[in-house]
Structure formats: C-alpha cells, structure tokens
Amino acid sequence: MVFSSSGYNPEKPMENRISDIGPRDFEEFYPPVIARNKGKWLYHEILEPGLLVHVAESGEKVYTLRCGASRLMSVTHIREICDIADKYCDGHVRFTTRNNIEFMTDSEEKAKAMKADLAGRKFSGGSSKFPAGGTGAGISNIVHTQGWVHCHTPATDASGPVKAIMDEVFAEFGQMRLPAHLRISLACCINMCGAVHCSDIGLVGVHRKPPAVDHEWTGQLCEIPLAVAACPTGAVRPAKVEVNGGQVKSVAINKDRCMYCGNCFTMCPALPISDGVGDGIAVMVGGKVSNRIGTPQFSKVVVAYIPNEPPRWPTVTATVKKIVDAYAAHAKKYERIGEWIARIGWERFFSLTGLEFTHHLIDDFREPAYYTWRQTTQFKF
Amino acid sequence: MAKHPTPKLDELESGPWPSFVSDVKQEAANRLENPGKIEHQIPPDCPEDLLGVLELSYKDGETHWKHGGIVGVFGYGGGVIGRYCDQPEQFPAVAQFHTVRVNQPAAKYYNTKYLRALCDLWDKRGSGLTNMHGSTGDIVLLGTQTPQLEEIFFELTHEMDSDLGGSGSNLRTPECCLGTSRCEFSCFDTQDICRELTMAYQDELHRPAFPYKFKFKFDGCPNGCVAAIARADFSLIGTWKDDIRIDQSAVAAYVGGEFPPNAGAHSGRDWGKFDLQKEVVERCPSRCMAYDGAKLRIDNRECTRCMHCINVMPRALRIGLESGASVFVGAKAPVLDGAQMGSLLLPFVEVKPPYTEVKEIIEKIWDWWMEEGKNRERLGETIRRLSFQRLLDVVGLSPQAVHVREPRHNPYMFFKEEEVPGGFERDLQAHRARHKR
C-alpha cells in the first residue's frame, strides 16, 4: 500500500482546515417532482405492497418504490442502488428511518418496470437484494444496532438475528394483511440505541452474569470512583485486593444487587460482562411510538431469556412468529399489539401465545414497579 | 477461496431477506479483484477479516471488539468511534477498525453523484462497508485505521462539502422524518428546522460539553415516524390548533367504496365493507365525531389530534392550517434508570424560520442541565431528580393541566416560602404560650 494524501498536511493541521460546515443541504438532493410540490401534497395511496403514490395540488404524482435492505451495506451494493436510481429515478434515492430504500419517479410505468427489475435481483446466496414492501398493515424492516459486527458491549448479535427473523416473517413484509402496523426492533444490549423500548416486538440482548473483575488492571485502566458511581443499584464498591502478593486498589461486586446492565464495563474495561453462556435475548411486546388511537407505550418483557443460538436463532424466530401469529389471528382491525393486549388482558396474551409467565416478568426495579402489579378484582381465569 | 472458513455465517446467506453475509462477501471479492485499480489505504482484505471475527463470535457467543480508545480528528471531540479487535493476530486487517459517523442530509435524500463519491472515498480509505444508516441517522462508515482519519475528514470537508456527526457527550446528529417534502400529514418543515438547528449548534455537536448525549428529533405529525417521543431529549412533534379540514364529497366517496380506506394500507385482507361509523367514529379516542349517513361532523374542540381518522381517509380529512408543533423533553432508552418517554413541555409552538422561540427554549434547558446535570445523566433523569416544576421555572412556563396525565397521588408537596403567610420561620415562644410543654 502506498500512502495517498488527501491534501492534509500533518505538519500544519490547521492549514486549509474546514470544519463545522454541517451536512449538505437537503434541497440539493430533492427529485425535481419533490422540489416542485413540497408542502403541497394532497393525499397518498399504497397501490400495492411497496409501491406508494403521492398526489399534489398541482396534479403531479410521485411514485415511490420501497425496498427492504440490510443496514450493513457494502459500497458495491450502494453502487448498484445508484445504477438503479440513475436508470429509473434520474439519479435520486432516499433511505428511511427503518433502513428501507425508496426509489422515486414521476412515472407509474417506470415505477412498475423498476419493481419488476428489482424483484429479480438476488445476492449470490439466493436472497433478494431489493424486496418490495414495508408499507401499510404489515411488518416493516427491523431497526437494529451493531451487535457482534462492531460493538464492545453486546449481549447478542444484531445483523444475524435480524436476518433470521426477517426470513421468518418475510411474507408479512411484502403483504398488508395484519390488523395494523407491526414494528420489530432489536438492540444488542440494554443501552438500546434505537427505539426498541417502544416497539410492537422489541428484542434486547441481556447479560445474566455479574461482570468479572480483572483486579490486576482495574486500578490501571479505570477511574475507580467512576466505576462505582456508574452502578445504578449500588452493587459496585471500592475494595483493596491482594494481587501477586501486593495490595491493589480495585472494586468488589455485590452479586445479589447486580442486574447485569454493563454500565460499569462501559466506564471500566477491566470489568468484562460478556459471557457466552450467560448472554442471550429478552423479548418485549406491546410498545409503540405513534399517537394513533392509543397513546405511545413502552414495550413489556414477556420472555426473560432466550439463549443465543447462532447462526439462525431458531428459538427467537419461533417466539416472534408465535406472537405475530396470535396477534394476526385474534386482534381487531386497527389494534396494535399493545392495544390488542390491553383489551384482552395480559393473562389472556400468555395463554393465547403459549408463552410461559416466569418470576422475572414481575417488575421489581424502583418505584414504578408497584404500579404494574394487579390492583383490581378484575382479571380473567 | 475465502481467507477464513465461515460455516456458521454461510447459513445466513439463504432465505429471502437481503443477506448481509452475501453482501460482505461480494465486497471482499470486489476488493480482491479491484477492477477500479483503487489504491486501498487500509488492508483490502478487511471484509474477510470482519467475517472471520464475526464467525468467531458466532462460535464463542461473545463479541471480539474492545473499548474505543480516544481517536478522532483535530479540534473535534466526537464523530469517530475508536474500535479495536481483541484478536489482532488472527484478524490483522481489522485490528483497528474505527467508525466514522457522517452527518446525513436531512431525511436522507441523496443523488447518485454524492453517494458514488462517498463510495469512492470509502473504497479507498475504509473497509468498503457502511451502515445506511445508524440508529441516530448518521451515515456510518464502518472500519478504518487511525492514520486515515484526518485524510477522510479532509476529503469529506474539501471534496464532499460534508461533516462528521455526533458521538459522546455532545449534541447527537439531529434527525427528522421527511416532513412536508413528501407527506401531506406534516405540520411543519421538519427538514428545514433539523438543518437549521444542526448548523446553529455545530459547536455543541462536535465538542462534548454536556453531562451526556443530547438528541433532537423532529416528527412532522403525531404518527411519529422517527420515534421522537421515545428517543429524543428534545423533540418537536407536529400538531395543529384549528379544525381538521373536511371534504364531505370525499367522505361520501370513502363510504361509497370509490376510494380505498387507509390509503390501501389494509388491502391485503378482506376486512369487509368499509364502515365509517365503526372504523372511524367509534374508534376516535375522544369520541368527538358523528356521522349521520350524509355528513361527518367533528367537534374540533374535543379532538386530541391522534391522526386515526386522517390516516383512514387521507383524501377527505386534512390537518388544520394553524399548524406547528408540541415540544416534548426527556425521552431516553433504559440505561440507566429505566426508559423514559418524552414529556409534554409546551403544547404549541410555531415552527417558522428563524426558529427563535425554539432556540430560546433549547438554550435555557441546556444552561440548566449543564449546571445541574450529573456525569452521564440524561436530561430526562435530571428532570426526574430535580422535578418537572424546576424545568418549568427554568424555561419560564406556567404549570398547566396539560402537563400531567393526572395530578399527584400523594400530599408531599413543596410550597415556596413566599406562598405561605409569614414564611417558614416559626415563633417557638408564641407556640409555647399557647401550648404547654
């Protein structure tokens, strides 16, 4: 490899330096039909799964083809997206919050030709490159985090379980036959980058063992008071420990108080928390962010732990499928999962899905826990 | 022949959903072949080593990435996340594999010229692997080495007129839905205010001076497509104050079956004939609608703007004209003290350039939080610790019934000394004159 300079001069870092310029202006990137009709859209319609039309006051229409994608994406794949956008969309494309790709054109004919073209594009292993869907009352793409691909605190992988789950519920991505939208998300630890805590089905990586303490290194790698202060339950305290015949400053973990959040590890790398046997996935359901009919809700834990089963996480995918199937069979039109459960009651949710109710599911974290216990004579046998 | 056998990952190549494993393999093959004669500035086999380290994680059930370490570009305290592999001898091409966050254009519209330039940059100076996009909205360039960071930043700023996003205890890259650009529901121009605040607060975005991360998100309407209410320390969610606009002839067209209800969103199952009474009037959470078979009436004073009726009949019902946003504060994910939903701070704010009112609120909140917030304490946690009342005082707002779902359950109230005649000083002698010891 021969070093190739961008023009940056390490001897004079401030020479010609440009900073604080922010992102490019979005207006540069609008397809012309969007630029012409911004703020003047009248209505939209989903013509078929994955294909939307928006109609403006001017009478102009924009057709949007929405396709699923893996958020971990190579530049080779992005270049193929660019080729498609150049061919059908005059060089314009956008991405959605849920990692879908949107190709827009003002011609219905082009949109349909594009849809047919993209339906045939496959990766070498046989998977679709650009599955159309993610619209209406179905399952859209899963928003997720980095997992084992690139993160230092995960309790599970993200891209792998997401691929396995989307394969399992693929039919619902390309159809609109559920009672309402169903949003799945996955976070590989309880830090939860992304809105996993407000999803119809949220999957979250959990640890189940207190951190190991690398006493030899705690004093050298960590600010001990910060590690102590990082613990939300007061389970970490300073301790003097004997290492190789000498006394060192380290920490001690009160194992009964630890709820394995890993925040101490974030502050102190000498407290590793990952554990192949201890780690796995918890399943949460019934959350949402929309204010439609019912108010936004947090997801609630319904399965405390499923072991990591790479590469295809069969128990996780089967559990998700079970919940989706029970919801599809029993919910009324417009009910999100949480609204369906609010109507039938949690005891009925557990009997309909066949999920086991375990002691972990009764809240015992801080004051809000009390408000989740049953305080009425109304319940179902 | 692959550098590392990946029997477990190979199982993720089958099935219909796009396979990231196939995509990474395709990148690995392209880099090896290098048809464009790119002068790769980091080891060209890093996609293969990434698959190798991931395969090892699939075997061990544990990650093989270490804590970040401090790397970045001169003058910035965020935007680059240092990443090192804990098996560098086995996987030397990803021994250093830092992430570069690039601030995305608002609502993620691109042209291919820009995307191709980004691909060229990342082909040459990075792994060729990205996230489109990260959870917060950034373009995530996944994997490069320390000597490339300044080079990448130089090319981003000089050639692509682009800048880094946020990381660490600073303003994170703001994010918005696509707003009025392609959505008839949007109550304000989400992209414009997102960009304006991003530009106004570049210093806060690049140089960590906060107790912890701080997120702005902008949802154009209560449907909440970017999940602002669940994720953002400060969010604007579109709303309106006047009446829902009704086109009665379009209502009749929905009833008559000429227009597909829900814009076609439920068309995959036979739900029977559209029933306006059952599906809209009786589903309205505030029961503020009535339909007499000819005319749909809305008691707009009672409407809570949940969007249901508008979602069901977008050609008949439109958001009001006096539109703006509600301000919510303090949302966050669980770490540390549990998840928090955004709480309503201001029922209505006009969202018009230059957004002075919004900026004033933000800056008052920041001044207070930077003074009072503890290390790694999100705004929502500071509010919980010091009370919502304190926040109202800080922002200069009067308490209103809309601020609560219900009043407090307990009588443990704080009174201000000036609210109590005579203040808090007690006269013990006078007390003892009335009551013997």
Side-chain angles (χ1 to χ4, degrees):
Chain A
M1 276 180 296
V2 182
F3 185 81
S4 159
S5 172
S6 59
Y8 170 73
N9 178 0
E11 303 295 316
K12 295 178 181 169
M14 293 313 289
E15 193 177 73
N16 296 326
R17 193 169 192 84
I18 299 174
S19 73
D20 299 89
I21 55 172
R24 286 276 280 271
D25 192 338
F26 53 88
E27 288 188 353
E28 293 177 49
F29 298 129
Y30 280 155
V33 62
I34 295 289
R36 284 195 300 272
N37 296 288
K38 179 174 178 176
K40 296 175 210 154
W41 296 101
L42 274 181
Y43 66 91
H44 74 282
E45 198 179 316
I46 306 167
L47 299 173
E48 50 192 82
L51 186 60
L52 302 111
V53 61
H54 286 78
V55 182
E57 289 169 9
S58 64
E60 281 199 286
K61 295 176 179 177
V62 61
Y63 296 86
T64 302
L65 178 60
R66 185 177 294 164
C67 300
S70 161
R71 83 162 208 179
L72 173 53
M73 189 178 281
S74 72
V75 296
T76 302
H77 193 62
I78 297 174
R79 287 187 178 120
E80 185 168 348
I81 292 169
C82 290
D83 292 342
I84 294 162
D86 284 339
K87 184 169 177 192
Y88 297 102
C89 309
D90 299 320
H92 294 277
V93 63
R94 76 172 286 268
F95 294 81
T96 74
T97 308
R98 302 197 77 86
N99 306 316
N100 292 316
I101 309 163
E102 288 189 340
F103 297 102
M104 281 170 267
T105 165
D106 53 11
S107 147
E108 185 169 10
E109 205 178 317
K110 271 192 189 171
K112 295 212 158 148
M114 172 163 55
K115 197 178 178 197
D117 175 352
L118 300 201
R121 298 192 187 214
K122 311 275 185 204
F123 282 111
S124 59
S127 64
S128 310
K129 281 182 172 174
F130 303 102
T135 49
I139 296 179
S140 189
N141 203 343
I142 298 178
V143 291
H144 66 91
T145 56
Q146 294 289 19
W148 293 335
V149 168
H150 212 230
C151 183
H152 65 296
T153 66
T156 185
D157 187 32
S159 306
V162 162
K163 159 72 175 150
I165 294 164
M166 285 310 292
D167 280 343
E168 183 74 34
V169 300
F170 188 71
E172 306 307 335
F173 180 80
Q175 298 195 60
M176 304 187 289
R177 59 185 185 183
L178 293 178
H181 295 62
L182 199 161
R183 296 289 174 258
I184 307 177
S185 49
L186 184 145
C188 50
C189 81
I190 54 134
N191 268 304
M192 285 197 191
C193 2
V196 167
H197 57 296
C198 295
S199 301
D200 295 282
I201 301 178
L203 304 154
V204 58
V206 289
H207 304 288
R208 292 188 306 166
K209 293 187 182 189
V213 184
D214 192 351
H215 291 298
E216 212 174 320
W217 286 94
T218 33
Q220 296 171 67
L221 285 176
C222 320
E223 296 281 350
I224 286 174
L226 286 182
V228 170
C231 180
T233 63
V236 182
R237 63 181 166 81
K240 285 209 169 99
V241 184
E242 206 158 293
V243 172
N244 303 328
Q247 280 232 323
V248 296
K249 284 184 180 168
S250 184
V251 296
I253 311 280
N254 181 336
K255 295 186 173 62
D256 295 330
R257 277 195 168 182
C258 175
M259 47 73 169
Y260 338 109
C261 70
N263 200 49
C264 59
F265 174 62
T266 298
M267 300 308 286
C268 174
L271 299 172
I273 186 139
S274 289
D275 185 275
V277 176
D279 297 350
I281 290 179
V283 182
M284 307 176 75
V285 308
K288 66 173 193 131
V289 294
S290 161
N291 290 270
R292 181 178 186 175
I293 305 179
T295 56
Q297 297 290 330
F298 291 123
S299 314
K300 285 89 181 171
V301 184
V302 294
V303 181
Y305 176 76
I306 299 173
N308 283 320
E309 299 165 321
R312 294 205 66 100
W313 278 265
T315 311
V316 170
T317 54
T319 306
V320 169
K321 186 73 170 41
K322 209 184 277 185
I323 296 167
V324 171
D325 287 347
Y327 165 69
H330 297 283
K332 295 183 176 172
K333 192 178 181 185
Y334 301 120
E335 280 178 342
R336 297 283 290 258
I337 288 190
E339 290 157 346
W340 164 57
I341 299 170
R343 175 169 60 79
I344 64 170
W346 283 97
E347 59 273 42
R348 189 63 80 235
F349 168 81
F350 281 93
S351 65
L352 283 174
T353 53
L355 297 174
E356 185 190 359
F357 189 90
T358 63
H359 72 88
H360 317 93
L361 308 184
I362 300 174
D363 197 353
D364 54 6
F365 186 71
R366 305 230 199 281
E367 185 207 30
Y370 161 83
Y371 296 98
T372 66
W373 306 338
R374 181 87 56 155
Q375 285 135 4
T376 170
T377 58
Q378 297 186 24
F379 59 87
K380 293 179 183 175
F381 287 106
Chain B
M1 182 65 191
K3 187 174 171 190
H4 308 282
T6 53
K8 288 180 188 289
L9 289 174
D10 295 350
E11 289 188 43
L12 287 171
E13 290 202 84
S14 57
W17 187 252
S19 169
F20 70 97
V21 176
S22 298
D23 193 15
V24 176
K25 283 186 177 178
Q26 131 177 309
E27 191 58 30
N30 271 359
R31 284 171 78 91
L32 207 63
E33 193 192 331
N34 195 12
K37 303 274 181 283
I38 311 264
E39 293 178 293
H40 292 125
Q41 296 295 295
I42 71 165
D45 54 344
C46 53
E48 293 197 82
D49 273 8
L50 183 68
L51 288 175
V53 74
L54 189 59
E55 179 75 14
L56 185 63
S57 282
Y58 273 44
K59 188 166 142 265
D60 294 344
E62 293 172 358
T63 190
H64 284 285
W65 299 101
K66 296 201 284 186
H67 265 69
I70 311 281
V71 292
V73 300
F74 192 72
Y76 280 11
V80 180
I81 294 93
R83 193 62 80 218
Y84 299 89
C85 181
D86 70 8
Q87 293 294 346
E89 293 82 11
Q90 274 188 72
F91 308 105
V94 296
Q96 292 179 27
F97 209 58
H98 311 320
T99 295
V100 179
R101 290 184 184 164
V102 178
N103 197 329
Q104 81 287 5
K108 309 183 184 83
Y109 282 94
Y110 296 98
N111 60 29
T112 53
K113 187 174 169 231
Y114 183 85
L115 284 179
R116 287 184 198 279
L118 193 73
C119 290
D120 291 346
L121 167 68
W122 203 237
D123 228 353
K124 181 174 173 183
R125 302 197 178 277
S127 67
L129 302 172
T130 75
N131 290 152
M132 296 298 281
H133 296 72
S135 302
T136 299
D138 293 285
I139 301 164
V140 173
L141 301 177
L142 206 62
T144 190
Q145 298 185 344
T146 310
Q148 287 304 311
L149 295 173
E150 287 290 354
E151 309 293 331
I152 290 162
F153 182 67
F154 194 92
E155 282 192 17
L156 276 174
T157 50
H158 285 74
E159 311 292 331
M160 298 190 60
D161 197 12
S162 293
D163 205 341
L164 300 185
S167 66
S169 292
N170 59 12
L171 175 64
R172 296 300 183 87
T173 307
E175 196 186 16
C176 61
C177 71
L178 54 55
T180 50
S181 73
R182 203 198 62 199
C183 184
E184 69 272 25
F185 299 156
S186 191
C187 301
F188 63 97
D189 187 342
T190 53
Q191 290 176 285
D192 193 61
I193 187 167
C194 185
R195 175 168 166 82
E196 170 57 31
L197 296 189
T198 304
M199 300 309 285
Y201 298 121
Q202 281 289 297
D203 194 29
E204 286 77 4
L205 203 156
H206 297 303
R207 293 167 196 92
F210 290 151
Y212 203 10
K213 65 182 84 164
F214 195 96
K215 299 186 177 185
F216 289 155
K217 294 197 193 297
F218 308 96
D219 264 319
C221 85
N223 281 330
C225 290
V226 291
I229 202 165
R231 302 197 287 167
D233 300 271
F234 181 93
S235 54
L236 296 185
I237 302 177
T239 196
W240 63 93
K241 287 172 95 169
D242 54 344
D243 295 353
I244 291 175
R245 287 173 282 167
I246 308 182
D247 176 346
Q248 296 290 355
S249 63
V251 173
Y254 279 107
V255 173
E258 293 144 55
F259 294 160
N262 302 291
H266 292 257
S267 61
R269 196 199 285 196
D270 182 8
W271 292 97
K273 188 176 181 298
F274 175 60
D275 184 336
L276 179 63
Q277 178 66 26
K278 227 174 93 194
E279 297 188 40
V280 179
V281 175
E282 289 171 21
R283 279 283 180 179
C284 169
S286 64
R287 295 285 191 275
C288 68
M289 311 181 85
Y291 180 61
D292 61 9
K295 200 168 176 190
L296 181 69
R297 287 189 178 79
I298 301 176
D299 181 357
N300 281 281
R301 222 181 108 75
E302 298 305 310
C303 170
T304 53
R305 303 168 309 287
C306 86
M307 295 298 295
H308 175 61
C309 60
I310 298 176
N311 286 329
V312 175
M313 302 191 293
R315 297 179 74 161
L317 302 177
R318 301 179 70 192
I319 60 164
L321 288 167
E322 198 185 335
S323 65
S326 303
V327 177
F328 289 80
V329 290
K332 59 179 281 289
V335 152
L336 276 177
D337 265 340
Q340 285 182 237
M341 200 73 83
S343 298
L344 179 68
L345 178 66
L346 201 60
F348 188 85
V349 63
E350 270 212 341
V351 191
K352 298 239 164 75
Y355 310 111
T356 312
E357 193 182 347
V358 174
K359 286 181 190 163
E360 279 173 9
I361 299 167
I362 289 167
E363 285 164 26
K364 283 177 187 168
I365 292 173
W366 279 350
D367 284 348
W368 175 65
W369 180 54
M370 289 168 77
E371 185 72 32
E372 302 277 354
K374 294 181 182 174
N375 184 36
R376 282 170 66 79
E377 184 178 65
R378 291 284 288 272
L379 174 66
E381 290 163 328
T382 309
I383 299 170
R384 268 175 76 168
R385 181 167 58 81
L386 298 177
S387 84
F388 196 79
Q389 290 91 321
R390 281 283 292 282
L391 177 72
L392 290 177
D393 283 344
V394 163
V395 182
L397 293 171
S398 307
Q400 307 170 40
V402 289
H403 282 131
V404 296
R405 195 176 48 170
E406 58 194 7
R408 68 193 303 147
H409 294 194
N410 58 69
Y412 305 146
M413 297 164 282
F414 288 104
F415 285 87
K416 291 176 180 155
E417 190 165 6
E418 61 270 23
E419 288 181 305
V420 187
F424 287 166
E425 288 307 312
R426 298 291 301 269
D427 184 344
L428 184 66
Q429 297 307 325
H431 182 82
R432 285 287 165 240
R434 296 193 300 275
H435 307 278
K436 290 190 173 146
R437 192 173 282 116

